[in-house]
């Protein structure tokens, strides 16, 4: 390092914003203000898209929508256990094709931040580590341990070499401008003692020595070595300052755009006004690189979820939803924020921020000024009260918990609390899954089934004295482990003979269990995301003579976070006891000789649906545990995203044409309380604020990628674990019912008008704009239009006492029959229904 700037030689070509195949010599550097690309400091907006949580067919559209939303960089983790499920055997096919994903980003003209880790957390199974690491003799993960460091270095080098071979680093003309080593280690490093700092120093040195030619970062690692950049993760990072602030830029690698969903939890959502506030505050306080975690969350296909109890949906309330559609107004409002910040880029990167007093403890002005270039941010961080401030001789109204952006230190281009972008009301159109082979939307041209045997049924079963921990036994090859024991009930002095029942007491490390007595389900128990352990007391009745106790233990994703998370166990470790015996004694069965079976018999052959064992008879077994179901179906017409509504089933896993769409669990209900009727964006956000869907299934709808479907003759296979009725499930196609917007006279004019207004020396007023979500749609009707004092929110607007009689006809004339329309919000357009009163325009429209 020389002076305050680390210089790294790179090769890059920018042609009309697109990375081209030719190249010329350039540099990627960083200093105390920003990343420097081709000798120029840059303000960069980034977004996370995890390639395996969508499909290769979705990637180009997701990345283009990201670019259209104002992103410069796509950030992704690299998932070690996905790529090396068996040591030395690699898989980069299909959704795992990392190189293809990076190249698609490059083709869109965006940069890449490759977060190799290789620990990723990410609510991903085992934090992204392959479980075979656990079985290496003497290994300790994420510390100064030679066996672990050797494996970590080998995989990290493997990924770096792959990227180099494909010429994907900026040193080679590629898109990768940053890489990450380790991940959020600062949260847990204290637990690892002095070895933690040794490990972090080694990790940084190892990464830099791989000679990628681009900077490396360590997120949430304030004591990171000087050779890497320490960065911030969190809901807010405006108050964070990196160590070595005279050498490192202020970077935010994870701005949590929402939160993850857990089975048994309500659905998290983060208001866009708060997210925009956090973004603007970060750039106001000196930040120059900000990444949304997530920009598109996607789906946890297969058994990839961590947690435990992470749901299959990884929507994350991201600007692009799980199905690849824009979440409005979040996507649109953030796009406006990005444009506003980019209007300030020249000033931001030219100098350090200067804090200016504008009166009051919760009011703050920040100025970036050098020569004739000036940009300012005005913030009101009060959680309740709006304020009027004077800045540079002008008066500005600041809503509570908002930031106004002034690219010329005079005129407001955007306030984070005032949304110009239209909202969309999404819905799912359900298609009955009926026995109608003539219907193109019918699933169920005939159900067939196979009963999964209860207890031991495979040749590789084995016996051990005592109870075994599950993960060490299964190596996570399956969610399931059978514990089976035969007992002899012949002693009348011990067992009750008067019809009363004995109680089976079972304790498990988690995550759920089912108890069968002589092949019949006697009871179940489940943990939750806060406590995975299970303790059950199940009344049981034994027959005279030989009896079988079969306990099915199951996992719902392995622990992915926390110090020593890899040592978190699962399964029935005891005690297992019989209580309530005739003489009041308890029999402990824990030390008996148990028989074990890893996985279910059907898992080896049934998910593809091709087995010859399927039974087809007029009477379909329903509400029976451990039943496999299969049906043929035709894909729904059209191109709208597809989901399956699993209402009617209990818990299990589903496969479409042999590909797992993930675990389903519609019977796991969220708490009845904790969801407010309305969400107040003002004030600090946390993951429990603004939740919705209390008292309902955490997840009913499960994404089926269109690319996995054929027009006809698709196969759906279900493993129903606890019992349900497959004939009740249905297709659902994602669509947009309505567009809504509510713009007041105090809103700034659209950000897009800033440049033309500045050149012309004029100032436009607020404008309400609508745009149908799909290219082939037009606005077909105006459901509601009111200018004056309308009330309510999108989908439930109502007129106030003050209203213009012209509003509906004006909006209809401007919008109906067009894909997009704009209406000026002023008395010049609608007349003045109530003089001297602040007015607004609310509109709801339909597209067809």
């Amino acid at each position: 390092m020389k002076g305050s700037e680390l210089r790294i030689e790179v090769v890059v070509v920018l042609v009309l914003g697109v990375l081209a195949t030719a190249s010329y010599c350039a540099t990627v550097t960083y200093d105390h203000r920003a990343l420097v690309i081709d000798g120029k400091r840059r303000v960069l907006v980034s977004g996370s898209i995890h390639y395996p949580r969508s499909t290769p067919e979705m990637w180009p559209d997701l990345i283009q929508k990201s670019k259209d939303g104002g992103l410069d960089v796509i950030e992704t983790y690299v998932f070690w256990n996905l790529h090396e499920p068996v040591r030395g055997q690699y898989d980069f096919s299909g959704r795992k094709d990392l190189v293809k994903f990076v190249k698609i980003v490059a083709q869109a003209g965006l940069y890449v931040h490759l977060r190799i880790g290789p620990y990723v957390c990410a609510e991903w199974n085992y934090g992204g580590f392959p479980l075979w690491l656990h079985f290496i003799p003497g290994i300790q993960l994420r510390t100064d341990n030679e066996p672990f460091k050797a494996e970590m270095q080998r995989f990290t080098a493997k990924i770096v070499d792959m990227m180099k071979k494909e010429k994907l680093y900026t040193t080679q003309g590629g898109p990768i401008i940053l890489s990450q080593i380790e991940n959020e280690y600062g949260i847990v490093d204290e637990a690892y003692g002095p070895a933690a700092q040794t490990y972090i120093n080694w990790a940084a040195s190892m990464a830099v020595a791989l000679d990628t030619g681009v900077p490396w970062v360590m997120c949430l690692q304030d004591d990171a070595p000087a050779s890497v950049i320490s960065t911030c993760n969190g809901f807010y990072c405006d108050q964070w300052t990196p160590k070595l602030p005279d050498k490192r830029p202020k970077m935010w690698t994870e701005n949590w755009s929402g939160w993850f969903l857990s089975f048994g939890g309500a659905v998290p959502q983060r208001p866009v006004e708060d997210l925009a506030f956090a973004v603007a505050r970060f750039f106001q306080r000196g930040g120059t690189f900000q990444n949304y975690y997530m920009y598109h969350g996607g789906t946890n296909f297969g058994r990839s979820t961590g947690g435990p109890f992470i749901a299959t949906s990884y929507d994350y309330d991201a600007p692009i939803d799980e199905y690849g559609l824009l979440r409005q107004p979040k996507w649109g409002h953030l796009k406006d924020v990005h444009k506003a910040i980019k209007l300030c880029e020249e000033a931001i990167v030219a100098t350090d921020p200067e804090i200016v007093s504008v009166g009051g403890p919760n009011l703050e002005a920040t100025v970036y000024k050098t020569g004739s270039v000036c940009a300012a941010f005005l913030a009101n961080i009060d959680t309740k009260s709006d304020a009027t401030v004077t800045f540079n001789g002008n008066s500005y109204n600041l809503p509570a918990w908002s930031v106004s952006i002034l690219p010329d230190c005079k005129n407001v281009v955007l306030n984070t609390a005032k949304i110009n972008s239209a909202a969309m009301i999404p819905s799912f159109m359900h298609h009955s899954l009926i026995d109608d082979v003539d219907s193109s939307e019918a699933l169920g041209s005939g159900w067939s089934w196979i009963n999964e045997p209860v207890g031991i049924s495979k040749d590789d079963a084995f016996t051990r004295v005592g109870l075994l921990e599950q993960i060490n036994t299964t190596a996570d090859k399956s969610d399931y482990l059978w514990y089976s024991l035969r007992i002899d009930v012949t002693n009348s002095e011990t067992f009750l003979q008067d019809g009363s029942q004995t109680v089976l007491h079972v304790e498990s490390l988690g995550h759920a269990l089912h108890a069968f007595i002589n092949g019949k389900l006697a009871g179940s128990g489940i943990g939750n995301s806060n406590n995975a352990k299970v303790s059950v007391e199940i009344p049981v009745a034994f027959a005279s003579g030989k009896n079988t106790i079969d306990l099915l233990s199951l996992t719902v994703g392995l622990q992915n976070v926390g110090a020593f998370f890899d040592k978190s166990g699962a399964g029935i470790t005891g005690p297992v006891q019989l209580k309530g015996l005739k003489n009041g004694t308890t029999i402990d069965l824990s030390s008996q000789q148990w028989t074990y079976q890893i996985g279910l018999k059907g898992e080896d052959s049934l998910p593809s649906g091709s087995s010859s064992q399927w039974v087809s008879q007029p009477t379909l077994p329903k509400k029976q545990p451990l039943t496999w179901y299969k049906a043929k179906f035709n894909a729904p017409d059209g191109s709208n995203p597809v989901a399956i509504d699993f209402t009617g089933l209990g818990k299990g896993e589903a496969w479409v044409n042999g590909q797992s769409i993930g675990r389903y669990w519609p019977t796991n209900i969220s708490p009845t309380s904790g969801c407010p009727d309305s969400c107040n964006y003002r004030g600090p956000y946390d993951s429990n604020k603004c939740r919705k869907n209390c008292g309902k299934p955490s997840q009913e709808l499960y994404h089926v990628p269109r690319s996995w479907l054929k027009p006809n003759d698709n196969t759906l296979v279900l493993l129903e674990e606890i019992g349900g009725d497959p004939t009740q499930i249905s297709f659902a196609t994602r669509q947009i019912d309505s567009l809504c917007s509510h713009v007041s006279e105090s809103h700034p004019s659209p950000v897009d008008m800033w440049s033309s207004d500045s050149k012309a020396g004029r100032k436009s007023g607020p404008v309400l704009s609508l745009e149908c979500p799909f290219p082939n749609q037009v606005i077909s009707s105006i459901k509601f239009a009111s200018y004056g004092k309308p009330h309510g929110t999108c989908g439930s607007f109502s007129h106030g006492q003050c209203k213009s009689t012209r509003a509906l006809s004006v909006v209809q004339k401007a919008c109906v029959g067009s894909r997009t329309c704009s209406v000026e919000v002023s008395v010049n357009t609608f007349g003045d229904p109530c003089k001297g009163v602040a007015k607004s325009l609310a509109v709801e429209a339909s597209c067809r």
Side-chain angles (χ1 to χ4, degrees):
M1 182 173 293
K2 184 178 180 181
S4 63
E5 189 173 274
L6 176 65
R7 297 197 169 273
I8 304 170
E9 293 299 316
V10 303
V11 177
V12 68
V13 163
L14 298 174
V15 179
L16 299 177
V18 179
L19 289 158
T21 54
S23 59
Y24 66 87
C25 187
T27 59
V28 170
T29 69
Y30 62 87
D31 61 17
H32 80 289
R33 285 299 297 128
L35 289 177
V36 182
I37 300 177
D38 197 16
K40 183 179 180 181
R41 286 177 178 168
R42 293 291 306 276
V43 166
L44 296 171
V45 180
S46 175
S48 292
I49 299 175
H50 295 160
Y51 53 98
R53 283 174 159 146
S54 54
T55 65
E57 292 79 8
M58 294 173 68
W59 294 343
D61 183 62
L62 293 173
I63 292 163
Q64 185 60 49
K65 286 174 177 173
S66 302
K67 182 178 181 178
D68 294 343
L71 298 196
D72 306 292
V73 183
I74 299 297
E75 185 176 283
T76 185
Y77 282 125
V78 179
F79 299 86
W80 189 356
N81 56 7
L82 193 72
H83 296 302
E84 195 179 5
V86 177
R87 190 180 188 280
Q89 297 180 20
Y90 297 98
D91 187 353
F92 291 92
S93 62
R95 290 184 296 112
K96 308 165 192 175
D97 195 340
L98 174 61
V99 167
K100 180 175 182 177
F101 179 79
V102 173
K103 287 183 176 180
I104 292 174
V105 176
Q107 290 165 8
L110 300 181
Y111 295 116
V112 171
H113 178 194
L114 194 65
R115 305 177 74 187
I116 299 176
Y119 165 72
V120 299
C121 185
E123 292 72 59
W124 191 267
N125 194 50
Y126 211 53
F129 284 148
L131 200 83
W132 51 259
L133 283 175
H134 179 74
F135 298 99
I136 293 176
I139 199 166
Q140 294 185 48
L141 308 188
R142 303 185 76 197
T143 189
D144 186 22
N145 172 267
E146 293 305 321
F148 173 68
K149 291 192 298 182
E151 295 298 329
M152 175 175 168
Q153 181 170 357
R154 183 181 58 81
F155 180 74
T156 303
K158 167 75 174 180
I159 298 301
V160 168
D161 289 345
M162 282 184 63
M163 299 302 108
K164 286 182 177 180
K165 182 179 179 180
E166 298 291 335
K167 302 187 183 304
L168 295 176
Y169 285 103
T170 34
T171 52
Q172 305 164 297
I176 303 173
I177 59 168
L178 285 170
S179 290
Q180 179 177 299
I181 195 69
E182 247 299 336
N183 187 52
E184 296 183 334
Y185 192 66
I187 297 175
V188 299
D189 56 3
E190 186 175 347
Y192 292 90
Q197 190 61 56
T198 307
Y199 165 63
I200 282 299
N201 292 340
W202 167 84
S205 297
M206 180 270 290
V208 172
L210 293 174
D211 193 25
T212 62
V214 302
W216 288 83
V217 305
M218 278 187 173
C219 65
L220 278 182
Q221 194 67 46
D222 285 344
D223 59 354
S227 58
V228 298
I229 307 172
S230 60
T231 64
C232 183
N233 289 0
F235 290 118
Y236 307 94
C237 281
D238 53 292
Q239 299 299 313
W240 177 83
T241 302
K243 294 283 182 69
L244 304 175
D246 59 332
K247 293 180 171 62
R248 289 170 168 164
K250 183 171 179 175
M251 297 175 61
W252 191 0
T253 37
E254 288 190 17
N255 177 2
W256 301 325
S257 58
W259 201 243
F260 56 84
L261 174 66
S262 296
F263 284 126
V267 178
Q269 53 181 344
R270 186 179 185 186
V272 68
E273 297 95 331
D274 174 69
L275 184 56
F277 171 80
V279 173
R281 284 287 289 162
F282 179 71
F283 287 103
Q284 176 181 6
R285 301 281 297 189
T288 53
F289 180 101
Q290 187 265 165
N291 176 76
Y292 296 101
Y293 186 101
M294 301 293 294
Y295 199 73
H296 165 73
T299 306
N300 291 314
F301 298 112
R303 300 174 55 246
S304 61
T305 63
F309 295 98
I310 299 298
T312 299
S313 171
Y314 200 68
D315 180 83
Y316 222 89
D317 199 34
I320 303 175
D321 73 14
E322 177 180 4
Y323 298 87
L325 301 181
L326 302 183
R327 172 170 278 113
Q328 296 284 31
K330 183 170 273 191
W331 182 88
H333 189 45
L334 293 176
K335 176 181 179 179
D336 288 344
V337 172
H338 305 154
K339 288 180 178 178
I341 289 168
K342 287 303 181 87
L343 288 170
C344 304
E345 180 173 13
E346 184 180 359
I348 289 174
V349 299
T351 185
D352 295 329
E354 178 186 358
I355 308 299
V356 180
S357 174
V358 288
N362 292 323
L363 301 172
E364 183 180 290
T366 302
V367 177
Y368 293 93
K369 181 174 176 56
T370 176
S372 61
V373 178
C374 185
F377 294 75
L378 308 181
N380 178 3
I381 60 175
D382 194 275
T383 61
K384 296 180 180 178
S385 301
D386 296 353
T388 300
V389 302
T390 300
F391 173 73
N392 281 355
N394 297 310
S395 181
Y396 301 89
N397 176 260
L398 294 175
W401 205 251
S402 78
V403 178
S404 285
I405 301 174
L406 292 65
D408 58 359
C409 285
K410 181 179 180 181
N411 295 298
V412 175
V413 68
L414 178 139
N415 178 273
T416 57
K418 296 181 178 181
I419 300 173
N420 277 322
S421 182
M424 294 182 184
I425 303 178
S427 68
F428 282 90
M429 178 179 288
H430 282 72
H431 311 279
S432 178
L433 306 181
I434 58 175
D435 276 324
D436 179 3
V437 296
D438 295 325
S439 171
S440 64
E441 296 172 347
L443 191 162
S445 56
W447 285 98
S448 54
W449 75 94
I450 296 175
N451 292 320
E452 173 68 31
V454 172
I456 306 304
S457 60
K458 296 169 66 177
D459 293 338
D460 57 1
F462 58 93
T463 60
R464 292 289 187 276
V465 173
L467 299 167
L468 300 181
E469 191 277 328
Q470 182 165 345
I471 300 172
N472 280 308
T473 305
T474 66
D476 198 38
K477 301 298 183 186
S478 168
D479 283 356
Y480 303 100
L481 178 64
W482 281 108
Y483 296 68
S484 185
L485 180 69
R486 290 179 63 81
I487 62 172
D488 191 352
V489 180
T490 56
N491 187 347
S492 61
E493 297 299 319
T494 302
F495 290 90
L496 298 174
Q497 302 295 316
D498 59 0
S500 299
Q501 290 181 317
T502 301
V503 171
L504 175 64
H505 173 81
V506 184
E507 292 190 19
S508 167
L509 296 177
H511 307 145
L513 66 87
H514 307 299
F516 295 82
I517 303 297
N518 298 324
K520 302 294 183 183
L521 181 63
S524 302
I526 63 171
N528 57 61
S529 58
N530 295 318
N531 181 12
K533 292 183 178 181
V534 180
S535 180
V536 295
E537 303 232 331
I538 300 171
V540 294
F542 292 110
S544 178
K546 301 290 185 181
N547 291 260
T548 302
I549 300 173
D550 292 304
L551 305 178
L552 181 61
S553 176
L554 56 133
T555 54
V556 191
L558 302 189
Q559 188 83 19
N560 63 268
V561 68
F564 306 104
F565 75 86
D566 52 296
K567 299 184 184 298
S568 298
I572 300 166
T573 54
V576 175
Q577 300 169 328
L578 295 176
K579 295 182 176 181
L581 304 180
K582 187 173 182 180
N583 57 7
T585 62
T586 294
I587 297 177
D588 194 327
L589 305 175
S590 307
S591 299
Q592 297 293 313
Q593 180 165 287
W594 291 79
T595 303
Y596 293 90
Q597 176 181 299
I598 297 171
L600 304 180
K601 184 175 183 179
E603 287 184 278
D604 296 334
S605 60
L606 299 185
S608 67
S610 60
S611 171
S612 60
Q613 304 173 47
W614 295 97
V615 178
S616 297
Q617 292 181 2
T619 303
L620 181 72
K622 301 176 183 178
K623 301 187 183 303
Q624 294 184 9
L626 295 180
T627 305
W628 294 82
Y629 296 102
K630 184 182 79 165
K632 293 287 187 178
F633 67 96
N634 300 330
D637 289 337
S639 58
N640 286 7
V642 178
I644 295 179
D645 185 336
F646 279 97
T647 300
L649 291 181
K651 178 186 179 298
E653 188 173 353
W655 293 262
V656 171
N657 295 329
Q659 301 210 61
S660 173
I661 65 171
R663 301 181 182 95
Y664 65 83
W665 202 350
T667 54
N668 205 331
I669 308 299
S670 66
T672 56
S673 62
C675 297
D677 293 333
S678 61
C679 178
N680 183 0
Y681 70 85
R682 300 168 183 85
Y685 177 82
D686 64 56
S687 60
N688 291 313
K689 183 180 180 181
C690 298
R691 291 190 171 236
K692 63 181 181 180
N693 284 8
C694 282
K696 299 179 181 180
S698 298
Q699 185 177 352
E700 288 179 303
L701 295 162
Y702 295 77
H703 181 207
V704 182
R706 275 280 182 182
S707 61
W708 291 6
L709 296 173
K710 302 175 291 185
N712 305 295
D713 198 34
N714 297 281
T715 302
L716 172 66
V717 173
L718 309 174
L719 166 60
E720 175 51 45
E721 185 183 298
I722 59 179
D725 180 358
T727 66
Q728 293 186 29
I729 68 176
S730 59
F731 276 130
T733 51
R734 183 82 159 169
Q735 59 187 27
I736 303 298
D737 286 341
S738 297
L739 304 178
C740 301
S741 189
H742 192 179
V743 175
S744 72
E745 293 177 321
S746 65
H747 273 59
S749 58
V751 179
D752 287 339
M753 300 177 68
W754 173 268
S755 296
S756 59
D757 281 0
S758 298
K759 291 176 182 177
R762 65 173 185 264
K763 184 177 180 181
S764 300
V767 173
L768 183 147
S769 298
L770 299 175
E771 180 177 359
C772 292
F774 301 111
N776 60 344
Q777 291 182 319
V778 296
I779 297 170
S780 57
S781 66
I782 303 299
K783 294 182 177 180
F784 179 91
S786 182
Y787 176 74
K789 298 292 288 184
H791 306 299
T793 58
C794 187
S796 60
F797 288 135
S798 61
H799 295 282
Q801 290 184 343
C802 164
K803 60 179 181 179
S804 168
T805 58
R806 298 163 51 187
L808 181 60
S809 62
V810 168
V811 175
Q812 285 176 330
K813 183 177 179 180
C815 298
V816 172
S818 300
R819 187 187 174 212
T820 65
C821 66
S822 297
V823 181
E824 183 181 352
V825 182
S826 75
V827 294
N828 296 331
T829 307
F830 298 99
D832 195 343
C834 41
K835 295 184 183 297
V837 175
K839 291 170 279 294
S840 62
L841 173 62
V843 175
E844 180 177 351
S846 292
C847 292
R848 291 289 184 269

